[in-house]
Amino acid sequence: MVYKAYEVIEGDNVKFLDENKREVSDQELEDHLSNLVNFYKEKVLNQIKTGKLEQLADKKLLQDLRINTGFGEEKFESLLEAIIKNGNLLLVGPPGVGKTELAKRLARKLAGENYIVTTANSLWFRRDVIGGETIRKGTVTWKSGILIRAYNKAATGDREYYIVIIDEINRADIDKAFSEFFTIFSSVDPSKWELPSYLIEEISSYESKDAEAENFLKNYREHGNGPLTKLRIIATMNLVDSRNLFDIGSALLRRFFVFEFKYPKGTEDLDNLNIKVDPEVRELVECLRNKFASMGENDLREGLDTRARFNISPASLRKAINIYSSLRERDILDFVNILGGTLGTVNPEDWTLYSKFVKECMDNEGKGKKTD
């Protein structure tokens, strides 16, 4: 029997009544709870087996990301898929909006498991991206980079696409690391992408080369530039931390379709959380985001640090809300401290602005009430 249980507190005793106000025995309650646990356990296991949990997570990600793009959910996803089918994609925006997860979702949908994820860094050279000379056990040898390995995967795989995700691409010195990348992807038409002949000659000239390079030469003799038409690059670029990163020139940008994401306005992303959010928290978040968003134009006019694109990201807010909601007793000051710890910044200017804006917002709204 499935029934709703009502809790009745009488002194130190707690009684449970069913829909007919009949007192429920401890054994009945235990059996009922056990049935519920088994039911939801089976439901979750079934969702894991059918991939529905991943689909739900992906759908939520799309809802978060398409905020402020002006596209509906289906059109947003189909647009990104169409872009990738016709070339490379660069996802640009502040940290915490879900760029990397979106890149992985698109890769899984278009290429299954035929994709790799790598994070750029300032130590990257041409050897890391394309390949090049290195010393191994005292011998000069040619070592394959990311694109040569990806070419081999595309040449031997049975999927339509093989995708390379380069996370935080502007952490690398583009001129130092990407060299032949510009030549390979010079055309807007993937069918016209081609490997430069001097690269083939260079690899062939080395007596010692790694296994990937050997396979590459074999695959190139058999397939030529064909596997390149199956390769796609999805890169992400962080705007907020740009003064600590490298500039991306127009030469590289022309090799990508650039899709920019922005911080949500107000509290639109809170609507996607399956958590009841206290009204005072919602009001504070909206006020803080509006104040951070208004800083850009002022900074440019006054000649201050133009890295004023910082704001409260969906990831930071989601983490803060989850922690805050788990507290049995809480007030808005608890949320302020928790949110401050999830902002993902140690920049003194960001902290100063956060403290200043919190005070202004709370003074305006008269915050500080206790909630259970």
Side-chain angles (χ1 to χ4, degrees):
M1 175 182 178
V2 178
Y3 51 78
K4 295 179 181 179
Y6 298 86
E7 183 176 322
V8 179
I9 300 177
E10 297 179 354
D12 295 329
N13 297 319
V14 178
K15 294 182 179 180
F16 291 90
L17 307 180
D18 65 13
E19 292 176 319
N20 299 318
K21 303 299 182 182
R22 180 182 64 84
E23 185 175 347
V24 179
S25 69
D26 291 344
Q27 186 59 51
E28 285 179 299
L29 183 61
E30 185 177 334
D31 292 343
H32 178 60
L33 293 176
S34 178
N35 290 335
L36 284 176
V37 169
N38 289 333
F39 171 77
Y40 284 107
K41 180 180 178 181
E42 183 177 336
K43 188 173 183 180
V44 169
L45 287 174
N46 182 59
Q47 288 181 330
I48 292 174
K49 291 177 182 177
T50 59
K52 287 184 178 179
L53 284 182
E54 184 176 304
Q55 292 171 14
L56 289 172
D58 284 346
K59 183 176 181 180
K60 184 178 181 304
L61 171 66
L62 281 180
Q63 290 172 341
D64 285 346
L65 280 166
R66 70 180 178 83
I67 292 173
N68 295 334
T69 65
F71 296 108
E73 185 176 320
E74 290 185 8
K75 189 173 183 179
F76 173 64
E77 185 172 15
S78 62
L79 170 65
L80 294 177
E81 288 180 23
I83 291 168
I84 294 174
K85 289 178 180 179
N86 287 278
N88 300 319
L89 175 64
L90 177 61
L91 304 175
V92 178
V97 297
K99 301 184 297 298
T100 305
E101 288 305 313
L102 175 61
K104 292 178 182 178
R105 171 197 167 90
L106 292 170
R108 286 195 301 269
K109 186 162 187 179
L110 292 173
E113 296 302 316
N114 291 329
Y115 72 94
I116 58 171
V117 182
T118 185
T119 302
N121 64 72
S122 60
L123 298 179
W124 268 14
F125 285 91
R126 181 245 199 187
R127 182 176 61 240
D128 299 286
V129 178
I130 308 296
E133 185 178 286
T134 189
I135 304 295
R136 179 178 296 172
K137 296 181 180 180
T139 302
V140 177
T141 188
W142 204 92
K143 180 183 178 183
S144 301
I146 296 165
L147 287 183
I148 294 298
R149 297 197 299 271
Y151 174 96
N152 285 338
K153 293 285 188 182
T156 57
D158 58 357
R159 295 296 292 255
E160 184 178 2
Y161 299 104
Y162 186 83
I163 295 177
V164 177
I165 299 174
I166 303 178
D167 202 19
E168 305 278 4
I169 193 172
N170 52 332
R171 291 192 178 278
D173 186 332
I174 301 303
D175 292 334
K176 183 176 70 176
F178 280 77
S179 56
E180 282 88 354
F181 187 97
F182 299 100
T183 304
I184 294 170
F185 300 106
S186 60
S187 175
V188 296
D189 182 357
S191 68
K192 296 180 180 179
W193 291 346
E194 60 181 4
L195 292 159
S197 58
Y198 67 81
L199 177 61
I200 313 302
E201 295 169 0
E202 175 189 330
I203 299 173
S204 301
S205 69
Y206 281 80
E207 290 185 11
S208 176
K209 52 185 79 72
D210 64 13
E212 289 285 354
E214 296 280 7
N215 290 333
F216 167 74
L217 292 175
K218 176 178 177 293
N219 289 326
Y220 185 77
R221 285 192 295 269
E222 294 180 9
H223 306 289
N225 292 310
L228 279 181
T229 65
K230 299 168 64 176
L231 269 184
R232 294 295 184 273
I233 312 296
I234 305 179
T236 71
M237 178 176 168
N238 181 354
L239 288 180
V240 170
D241 202 24
S242 58
R243 70 179 177 187
N244 296 321
L245 305 175
F246 291 94
D247 290 332
I248 299 291
S250 59
L252 182 68
L253 291 177
R254 285 196 297 271
R255 272 66 181 175
F256 291 92
F257 183 97
V258 181
F259 203 106
E260 183 177 3
F261 297 98
K262 299 179 180 179
Y263 285 113
K265 296 177 181 178
T267 58
E268 294 165 298
D269 52 325
L270 286 180
D271 296 332
N272 293 330
L273 295 178
N274 295 322
I275 300 175
K276 182 180 178 181
V277 180
D278 296 340
E280 57 184 356
V281 168
R282 187 179 289 270
E283 291 171 10
L284 176 61
V285 170
E286 183 170 8
C287 178
L288 289 173
R289 278 181 166 167
N290 289 338
K291 286 184 175 294
F292 274 115
S294 69
M295 286 297 295
E297 293 182 2
N298 292 334
D299 279 358
L300 290 173
R301 283 198 301 268
E302 297 172 12
L304 301 177
D305 179 11
T306 56
R307 196 194 68 86
R309 301 174 70 95
F310 175 83
N311 209 316
I312 300 170
S313 73
S316 298
L317 182 57
R318 187 158 47 245
K319 186 183 296 183
I321 291 291
N322 285 334
I323 296 172
Y324 178 70
S325 298
S326 68
L327 301 178
R328 293 190 62 181
E329 291 188 3
R330 57 185 184 267
D331 63 31
I332 195 64
L333 294 179
D334 294 322
F335 177 75
V336 168
N337 291 327
I338 293 170
L339 181 61
T342 67
L343 291 178
T345 180
V346 292
N347 188 301
E349 296 169 11
D350 295 335
W351 279 100
T352 299
L353 285 174
Y354 178 68
S355 300
K356 175 177 178 289
F357 292 158
V358 165
K359 185 177 186 306
E360 291 176 359
C361 290
M362 293 182 67
D363 285 346
N364 289 339
E365 299 296 335
K367 304 295 182 182
K369 298 178 182 178
K370 289 275 184 180
T371 60
D372 294 327

